[in-house]
mmCIF file of all heavy atoms in Angstrom:
data_model
loop_
_atom_site.group_PDB
_atom_site.id
_atom_site.type_symbol
_atom_site.label_atom_id
_atom_site.label_comp_id
_atom_site.label_asym_id
_atom_site.label_seq_id
_atom_site.Cartn_x
_atom_site.Cartn_y
_atom_site.Cartn_z
ATOM 1 N N ASN A 160 0.742 -1.225 -0.005
ATOM 2 C CA ASN A 160 -0.018 0.036 -0.074
ATOM 3 C C ASN A 160 0.907 1.213 -0.005
ATOM 4 O O ASN A 160 0.519 2.250 -0.612
ATOM 5 C CB ASN A 160 -0.932 0.028 1.275
ATOM 6 C CG ASN A 160 -2.215 -0.892 0.916
ATOM 7 O OD1 ASN A 160 -2.563 -1.109 -0.105
ATOM 8 N ND2 ASN A 160 -2.759 -1.316 1.956
ATOM 9 N N PHE A 161 1.986 1.219 0.804
ATOM 10 C CA PHE A 161 2.786 2.298 0.901
ATOM 11 C C PHE A 161 3.455 2.706 -0.603
ATOM 12 O O PHE A 161 3.478 3.881 -0.966
ATOM 13 C CB PHE A 161 3.869 2.189 1.839
ATOM 14 C CG PHE A 161 4.966 3.305 1.891
ATOM 15 C CD1 PHE A 161 4.539 4.490 2.548
ATOM 16 C CD2 PHE A 161 6.188 3.162 1.332
ATOM 17 C CE1 PHE A 161 5.556 5.465 2.537
ATOM 18 C CE2 PHE A 161 7.018 4.208 1.418
ATOM 19 C CZ PHE A 161 6.650 5.364 1.932
ATOM 20 N N VAL A 162 3.930 1.565 -1.159
ATOM 21 C CA VAL A 162 4.520 1.718 -2.499
ATOM 22 C C VAL A 162 3.513 2.311 -3.448
ATOM 23 O O VAL A 162 3.783 3.058 -4.385
ATOM 24 C CB VAL A 162 5.274 0.480 -2.914
ATOM 25 C CG1 VAL A 162 5.660 0.505 -4.340
ATOM 26 C CG2 VAL A 162 6.391 0.195 -1.922
ATOM 27 N N LEU A 163 2.417 1.627 -3.533
ATOM 28 C CA LEU A 163 1.251 2.059 -4.387
ATOM 29 C C LEU A 163 0.854 3.504 -4.156
ATOM 30 O O LEU A 163 0.688 4.262 -5.242
ATOM 31 C CB LEU A 163 0.100 1.190 -4.280
ATOM 32 C CG LEU A 163 0.162 -0.307 -4.815
ATOM 33 C CD1 LEU A 163 -1.049 -1.076 -4.415
ATOM 34 C CD2 LEU A 163 0.677 -0.365 -6.255
ATOM 35 N N THR A 164 0.731 3.927 -3.048
ATOM 36 C CA THR A 164 0.492 5.333 -2.723
ATOM 37 C C THR A 164 1.607 6.256 -3.121
ATOM 38 O O THR A 164 1.393 7.256 -3.796
ATOM 39 C CB THR A 164 0.186 5.573 -1.274
ATOM 40 O OG1 THR A 164 -0.897 4.544 -0.898
ATOM 41 C CG2 THR A 164 -0.192 6.872 -0.974
ATOM 42 N N ALA A 165 2.820 5.885 -2.738
ATOM 43 C CA ALA A 165 3.921 6.667 -3.278
ATOM 44 C C ALA A 165 4.097 6.869 -4.745
ATOM 45 O O ALA A 165 4.497 7.788 -5.278
ATOM 46 C CB ALA A 165 5.190 6.094 -2.549
ATOM 47 N N ALA A 166 3.726 5.731 -5.542
ATOM 48 C CA ALA A 166 3.883 5.738 -6.881
ATOM 49 C C ALA A 166 2.705 6.468 -7.575
ATOM 50 O O ALA A 166 2.606 6.697 -8.832
ATOM 51 C CB ALA A 166 4.093 4.211 -7.456
ATOM 52 N N GLY A 167 1.620 6.670 -6.871
ATOM 53 C CA GLY A 167 0.536 7.374 -7.259
ATOM 54 C C GLY A 167 -0.541 6.350 -7.856
ATOM 55 O O GLY A 167 -1.533 6.734 -8.463
ATOM 56 N N VAL A 168 -0.223 5.096 -7.761
ATOM 57 C CA VAL A 168 -1.246 3.942 -8.304
ATOM 58 C C VAL A 168 -2.493 4.163 -7.577
ATOM 59 O O VAL A 168 -3.559 3.889 -8.153
ATOM 60 C CB VAL A 168 -0.571 2.790 -8.190
ATOM 61 C CG1 VAL A 168 -1.491 1.622 -8.606
ATOM 62 C CG2 VAL A 168 0.628 2.597 -8.995
ATOM 63 N N SER A 169 -2.582 4.273 -6.280
ATOM 64 C CA SER A 169 -3.804 4.337 -5.484
ATOM 65 C C SER A 169 -4.650 5.399 -5.992
ATOM 66 O O SER A 169 -5.838 5.143 -6.260
ATOM 67 C CB SER A 169 -3.458 4.400 -3.945
ATOM 68 O OG SER A 169 -2.670 3.370 -3.526
ATOM 69 N N ARG A 170 -4.144 6.515 -6.060
ATOM 70 C CA ARG A 170 -4.897 7.766 -6.526
ATOM 71 C C ARG A 170 -5.402 7.502 -7.947
ATOM 72 O O ARG A 170 -6.570 7.804 -8.328
ATOM 73 C CB ARG A 170 -3.973 8.960 -6.453
ATOM 74 C CG ARG A 170 -4.799 10.124 -6.788
ATOM 75 C CD ARG A 170 -5.694 10.602 -5.790
ATOM 76 N NE ARG A 170 -6.892 11.017 -6.322
ATOM 77 C CZ ARG A 170 -8.170 11.144 -5.726
ATOM 78 N NH1 ARG A 170 -8.303 10.569 -4.457
ATOM 79 N NH2 ARG A 170 -9.173 11.550 -6.303
ATOM 80 N N ALA A 171 -4.598 6.856 -8.829
ATOM 81 C CA ALA A 171 -4.877 6.676 -10.178
ATOM 82 C C ALA A 171 -6.073 5.631 -10.241
ATOM 83 O O ALA A 171 -7.041 5.763 -10.999
ATOM 84 C CB ALA A 171 -3.776 6.083 -10.981
ATOM 85 N N LEU A 172 -6.007 4.564 -9.408
ATOM 86 C CA LEU A 172 -7.221 3.611 -9.230
ATOM 87 C C LEU A 172 -8.332 4.215 -8.710
ATOM 88 O O LEU A 172 -9.580 3.986 -9.301
ATOM 89 C CB LEU A 172 -6.737 2.370 -8.364
ATOM 90 C CG LEU A 172 -5.622 1.373 -8.970
ATOM 91 C CD1 LEU A 172 -5.276 0.436 -8.042
ATOM 92 C CD2 LEU A 172 -6.279 0.773 -10.351
ATOM 93 N N GLN A 173 -8.372 5.268 -7.679
ATOM 94 C CA GLN A 173 -9.401 5.724 -7.283
ATOM 95 C C GLN A 173 -10.166 6.770 -8.322
ATOM 96 O O GLN A 173 -11.312 6.661 -8.583
ATOM 97 C CB GLN A 173 -9.067 6.655 -6.046
ATOM 98 C CG GLN A 173 -8.879 5.908 -4.765
ATOM 99 C CD GLN A 173 -8.373 6.794 -3.639
ATOM 100 O OE1 GLN A 173 -8.235 8.106 -3.842
ATOM 101 N NE2 GLN A 173 -8.280 6.301 -2.569
ATOM 102 N N ASP A 174 -9.222 7.439 -9.110
ATOM 103 C CA ASP A 174 -9.747 8.182 -10.074
ATOM 104 C C ASP A 174 -10.422 7.401 -11.302
ATOM 105 O O ASP A 174 -11.345 7.697 -11.807
ATOM 106 C CB ASP A 174 -8.691 9.044 -10.767
ATOM 107 C CG ASP A 174 -8.017 10.121 -9.766
ATOM 108 O OD1 ASP A 174 -8.753 10.532 -8.911
ATOM 109 O OD2 ASP A 174 -6.895 10.656 -10.160
ATOM 110 N N LEU A 175 -9.802 6.198 -11.425
ATOM 111 C CA LEU A 175 -10.434 5.349 -12.485
ATOM 112 C C LEU A 175 -11.899 4.935 -12.123
ATOM 113 O O LEU A 175 -12.745 4.929 -12.822
ATOM 114 C CB LEU A 175 -9.678 4.190 -12.759
ATOM 115 C CG LEU A 175 -10.197 3.099 -13.662
ATOM 116 C CD1 LEU A 175 -10.125 3.406 -15.087
ATOM 117 C CD2 LEU A 175 -9.382 1.839 -13.536
ATOM 118 N N LEU A 176 -11.981 4.553 -10.807
ATOM 119 C CA LEU A 176 -13.245 4.125 -10.341
ATOM 120 C C LEU A 176 -14.292 5.260 -10.392
ATOM 121 O O LEU A 176 -15.453 5.024 -10.600
ATOM 122 C CB LEU A 176 -13.072 3.470 -8.871
ATOM 123 C CG LEU A 176 -12.552 2.036 -8.750
ATOM 124 C CD1 LEU A 176 -12.314 1.757 -7.335
ATOM 125 C CD2 LEU A 176 -13.375 1.024 -9.539
ATOM 126 N N GLN A 177 -13.835 6.348 -9.950
ATOM 127 C CA GLN A 177 -14.665 7.536 -9.855
ATOM 128 C C GLN A 177 -15.180 8.050 -11.182
ATOM 129 O O GLN A 177 -16.221 8.539 -11.469
ATOM 130 C CB GLN A 177 -13.970 8.665 -9.097
ATOM 131 C CG GLN A 177 -14.039 8.354 -7.665
ATOM 132 C CD GLN A 177 -13.001 9.324 -6.877
ATOM 133 O OE1 GLN A 177 -12.260 10.119 -7.567
ATOM 134 N NE2 GLN A 177 -13.085 9.453 -5.641
ATOM 135 N N ASN A 178 -14.390 7.911 -12.245
ATOM 136 C CA ASN A 178 -14.501 8.387 -13.653
ATOM 137 C C ASN A 178 -15.028 7.415 -14.549
ATOM 138 O O ASN A 178 -14.960 7.565 -15.772
ATOM 139 C CB ASN A 178 -13.287 9.020 -14.118
ATOM 140 C CG ASN A 178 -12.885 10.330 -13.246
ATOM 141 O OD1 ASN A 178 -13.748 10.956 -12.774
ATOM 142 N ND2 ASN A 178 -11.608 10.388 -13.142
ATOM 143 N N LEU A 179 -15.603 6.291 -14.126
ATOM 144 C CA LEU A 179 -16.168 5.216 -14.968
ATOM 145 C C LEU A 179 -17.465 5.679 -15.667
ATOM 146 O O LEU A 179 -17.764 5.160 -16.767
ATOM 147 C CB LEU A 179 -16.506 4.013 -14.312
ATOM 148 C CG LEU A 179 -15.332 3.174 -13.771
ATOM 149 C CD1 LEU A 179 -15.816 1.927 -12.910
ATOM 150 C CD2 LEU A 179 -14.609 2.584 -15.012
ATOM 151 N N GLY A 180 -18.056 6.695 -15.118
ATOM 152 C CA GLY A 180 -19.408 7.255 -15.783
ATOM 153 C C GLY A 180 -20.449 6.299 -15.635
ATOM 154 O O GLY A 180 -21.336 6.345 -16.363
ATOM 155 N N LEU A 181 -20.492 5.335 -14.660
ATOM 156 C CA LEU A 181 -21.620 4.453 -14.542
ATOM 157 C C LEU A 181 -22.534 4.767 -13.486
ATOM 158 O O LEU A 181 -23.534 4.052 -13.236
ATOM 159 C CB LEU A 181 -20.941 2.987 -14.138
ATOM 160 C CG LEU A 181 -20.009 2.521 -15.079
ATOM 161 C CD1 LEU A 181 -19.443 1.175 -14.610
ATOM 162 C CD2 LEU A 181 -20.745 2.164 -16.445
ATOM 163 N N GLY A 182 -22.444 5.863 -12.672
ATOM 164 C CA GLY A 182 -23.288 6.313 -11.658
ATOM 165 C C GLY A 182 -22.838 5.572 -10.368
ATOM 166 O O GLY A 182 -21.856 4.557 -10.368
ATOM 167 N N ALA A 183 -23.553 5.783 -9.221
ATOM 168 C CA ALA A 183 -23.215 5.200 -8.025
ATOM 169 C C ALA A 183 -23.478 3.743 -8.020
ATOM 170 O O ALA A 183 -22.618 2.854 -7.427
ATOM 171 C CB ALA A 183 -24.047 5.913 -6.930
ATOM 172 N N VAL A 184 -24.594 3.310 -8.482
ATOM 173 C CA VAL A 184 -24.834 1.732 -8.467
ATOM 174 C C VAL A 184 -23.881 0.998 -9.419
ATOM 175 O O VAL A 184 -23.313 0.026 -9.166
ATOM 176 C CB VAL A 184 -26.363 1.450 -8.867
ATOM 177 C CG1 VAL A 184 -26.662 0.084 -9.035
ATOM 178 C CG2 VAL A 184 -27.241 2.222 -7.867
ATOM 179 N N GLY A 185 -23.747 1.684 -10.534
ATOM 180 C CA GLY A 185 -22.826 0.969 -11.545
ATOM 181 C C GLY A 185 -21.317 0.841 -11.000
ATOM 182 O O GLY A 185 -20.696 -0.274 -11.048
ATOM 183 N N THR A 186 -20.874 1.862 -10.405
ATOM 184 C CA THR A 186 -19.550 1.920 -9.846
ATOM 185 C C THR A 186 -19.441 0.858 -8.666
ATOM 186 O O THR A 186 -18.539 0.141 -8.582
ATOM 187 C CB THR A 186 -19.126 3.250 -9.245
ATOM 188 O OG1 THR A 186 -19.253 4.268 -10.352
ATOM 189 C CG2 THR A 186 -17.749 3.265 -8.714
ATOM 190 N N LEU A 187 -20.598 0.836 -7.777
ATOM 191 C CA LEU A 187 -20.564 -0.209 -6.720
ATOM 192 C C LEU A 187 -20.433 -1.625 -7.166
ATOM 193 O O LEU A 187 -19.826 -2.458 -6.723
ATOM 194 C CB LEU A 187 -21.933 0.039 -5.901
ATOM 195 C CG LEU A 187 -22.115 -1.108 -4.760
ATOM 196 C CD1 LEU A 187 -21.081 -0.889 -3.672
ATOM 197 C CD2 LEU A 187 -23.434 -0.831 -4.163
ATOM 198 N N LEU A 188 -21.298 -1.872 -8.434
ATOM 199 C CA LEU A 188 -21.344 -3.168 -8.908
ATOM 200 C C LEU A 188 -19.977 -3.592 -9.556
ATOM 201 O O LEU A 188 -19.478 -4.771 -9.372
ATOM 202 C CB LEU A 188 -22.361 -3.422 -9.988
ATOM 203 C CG LEU A 188 -23.773 -3.323 -9.534
ATOM 204 C CD1 LEU A 188 -24.863 -3.315 -10.702
ATOM 205 C CD2 LEU A 188 -24.066 -4.358 -8.574
ATOM 206 N N VAL A 189 -19.202 -2.721 -10.077
ATOM 207 C CA VAL A 189 -17.798 -2.783 -10.529
ATOM 208 C C VAL A 189 -16.888 -3.201 -9.304
ATOM 209 O O VAL A 189 -16.161 -4.131 -9.332
ATOM 210 C CB VAL A 189 -17.326 -1.678 -11.279
ATOM 211 C CG1 VAL A 189 -15.814 -1.804 -11.495
ATOM 212 C CG2 VAL A 189 -18.010 -1.432 -12.593
ATOM 213 N N ILE A 190 -17.181 -2.478 -8.261
ATOM 214 C CA ILE A 190 -16.296 -2.815 -6.992
ATOM 215 C C ILE A 190 -16.624 -4.163 -6.565
ATOM 216 O O ILE A 190 -15.732 -4.974 -6.169
ATOM 217 C CB ILE A 190 -16.527 -1.782 -6.020
ATOM 218 C CG1 ILE A 190 -15.866 -0.290 -6.573
ATOM 219 C CG2 ILE A 190 -15.964 -2.201 -4.716
ATOM 220 C CD1 ILE A 190 -16.202 0.768 -5.646
ATOM 221 N N VAL A 191 -17.862 -4.477 -6.514
ATOM 222 C CA VAL A 191 -18.390 -5.953 -6.136
ATOM 223 C C VAL A 191 -17.654 -6.985 -6.938
ATOM 224 O O VAL A 191 -17.087 -7.890 -6.478
ATOM 225 C CB VAL A 191 -19.875 -5.948 -6.013
ATOM 226 C CG1 VAL A 191 -20.294 -7.485 -5.864
ATOM 227 C CG2 VAL A 191 -20.440 -5.147 -4.848
ATOM 228 N N LEU A 192 -17.675 -6.723 -8.166
ATOM 229 C CA LEU A 192 -16.968 -7.631 -9.145
ATOM 230 C C LEU A 192 -15.587 -7.723 -9.024
ATOM 231 O O LEU A 192 -14.988 -8.861 -9.116
ATOM 232 C CB LEU A 192 -17.406 -7.287 -10.603
ATOM 233 C CG LEU A 192 -16.865 -8.021 -11.785
ATOM 234 C CD1 LEU A 192 -17.640 -9.452 -11.791
ATOM 235 C CD2 LEU A 192 -17.211 -7.475 -13.139
ATOM 236 N N ILE A 193 -14.930 -6.704 -8.830
ATOM 237 C CA ILE A 193 -13.486 -6.627 -8.562
ATOM 238 C C ILE A 193 -13.186 -7.433 -7.263
ATOM 239 O O ILE A 193 -12.232 -8.276 -7.192
ATOM 240 C CB ILE A 193 -12.897 -5.121 -8.314
ATOM 241 C CG1 ILE A 193 -12.928 -4.523 -9.650
ATOM 242 C CG2 ILE A 193 -11.581 -5.197 -7.588
ATOM 243 C CD1 ILE A 193 -12.618 -2.990 -9.641
ATOM 244 N N TYR A 194 -14.028 -7.376 -6.272
ATOM 245 C CA TYR A 194 -13.806 -8.129 -4.987
ATOM 246 C C TYR A 194 -13.976 -9.647 -5.336
ATOM 247 O O TYR A 194 -13.278 -10.481 -4.677
ATOM 248 C CB TYR A 194 -14.689 -7.634 -3.792
ATOM 249 C CG TYR A 194 -14.116 -6.654 -2.975
ATOM 250 C CD1 TYR A 194 -14.369 -5.246 -3.036
ATOM 251 C CD2 TYR A 194 -13.152 -6.961 -1.933
ATOM 252 C CE1 TYR A 194 -13.914 -4.351 -2.358
ATOM 253 C CE2 TYR A 194 -12.584 -5.989 -1.203
ATOM 254 C CZ TYR A 194 -12.953 -4.664 -1.324
ATOM 255 O OH TYR A 194 -12.300 -3.791 -0.534
ATOM 256 N N ILE A 195 -15.009 -9.970 -6.088
ATOM 257 C CA ILE A 195 -15.237 -11.455 -6.401
ATOM 258 C C ILE A 195 -14.129 -11.954 -7.101
ATOM 259 O O ILE A 195 -13.551 -13.003 -6.829
ATOM 260 C CB ILE A 195 -16.512 -11.530 -7.213
ATOM 261 C CG1 ILE A 195 -17.739 -11.211 -6.311
ATOM 262 C CG2 ILE A 195 -16.606 -12.903 -7.689
ATOM 263 C CD1 ILE A 195 -19.055 -11.098 -7.057
ATOM 264 N N VAL A 196 -13.599 -11.193 -8.180
ATOM 265 C CA VAL A 196 -12.479 -11.681 -8.918
ATOM 266 C C VAL A 196 -11.260 -11.827 -8.073
ATOM 267 O O VAL A 196 -10.504 -12.837 -8.283
ATOM 268 C CB VAL A 196 -12.267 -10.758 -10.206
ATOM 269 C CG1 VAL A 196 -10.984 -11.217 -10.905
ATOM 270 C CG2 VAL A 196 -13.421 -10.964 -11.161
ATOM 271 N N LEU A 197 -10.857 -10.678 -7.394
ATOM 272 C CA LEU A 197 -9.705 -10.738 -6.422
ATOM 273 C C LEU A 197 -9.779 -11.886 -5.468
ATOM 274 O O LEU A 197 -8.717 -12.527 -5.051
ATOM 275 C CB LEU A 197 -9.506 -9.480 -5.842
ATOM 276 C CG LEU A 197 -8.964 -8.369 -6.728
ATOM 277 C CD1 LEU A 197 -8.850 -7.035 -5.954
ATOM 278 C CD2 LEU A 197 -7.700 -8.598 -7.427
ATOM 279 N N GLY A 198 -11.017 -12.296 -5.025
ATOM 280 C CA GLY A 198 -11.143 -13.168 -4.035
ATOM 281 C C GLY A 198 -10.739 -14.623 -4.532
ATOM 282 O O GLY A 198 -10.441 -15.450 -3.795
ATOM 283 N N PHE A 199 -10.779 -14.765 -5.827
ATOM 284 C CA PHE A 199 -10.283 -16.095 -6.379
ATOM 285 C C PHE A 199 -8.833 -16.210 -6.128
ATOM 286 O O PHE A 199 -8.305 -17.408 -6.126
ATOM 287 C CB PHE A 199 -10.631 -16.174 -7.969
ATOM 288 C CG PHE A 199 -12.078 -16.221 -8.231
ATOM 289 C CD1 PHE A 199 -12.519 -15.673 -9.437
ATOM 290 C CD2 PHE A 199 -13.073 -16.729 -7.433
ATOM 291 C CE1 PHE A 199 -13.910 -15.684 -9.715
ATOM 292 C CE2 PHE A 199 -14.338 -16.840 -7.791
ATOM 293 C CZ PHE A 199 -14.816 -16.392 -8.986
ATOM 294 N N PHE A 200 -8.104 -15.291 -6.160
ATOM 295 C CA PHE A 200 -6.701 -15.296 -6.267
ATOM 296 C C PHE A 200 -5.851 -14.714 -4.990
ATOM 297 O O PHE A 200 -4.704 -14.967 -4.912
ATOM 298 C CB PHE A 200 -6.127 -14.559 -7.493
ATOM 299 C CG PHE A 200 -6.799 -15.003 -8.821
ATOM 300 C CD1 PHE A 200 -7.704 -14.292 -9.391
ATOM 301 C CD2 PHE A 200 -6.563 -16.274 -9.321
ATOM 302 C CE1 PHE A 200 -8.447 -14.628 -10.560
ATOM 303 C CE2 PHE A 200 -7.263 -16.658 -10.348
ATOM 304 C CZ PHE A 200 -8.073 -15.942 -11.084
#
């Protein structure tokens, strides 16, 4: 987390999620999907 924050990756990922243009519910569903996929690995 420290390295990702220092490199700006965390902020870039936050910006990506915020700028998907899907609205609140769509962004939430993308986050849920991310958790499901990451949970596999």
Side-chain angles (χ1 to χ4, degrees):
N160 282 334
F161 177 77
V162 169
L163 291 176
T164 302
V168 175
S169 295
R170 186 72 218 155
L172 289 173
Q173 285 177 353
D174 291 342
L175 175 71
L176 286 173
Q177 290 169 342
N178 297 326
L179 286 175
L181 299 176
V184 175
T186 304
L187 176 66
L188 293 176
V189 167
I190 291 171
V191 167
L192 183 65
I193 289 169
Y194 270 101
I195 291 170
V196 170
L197 288 177
F199 292 148
F200 306 107

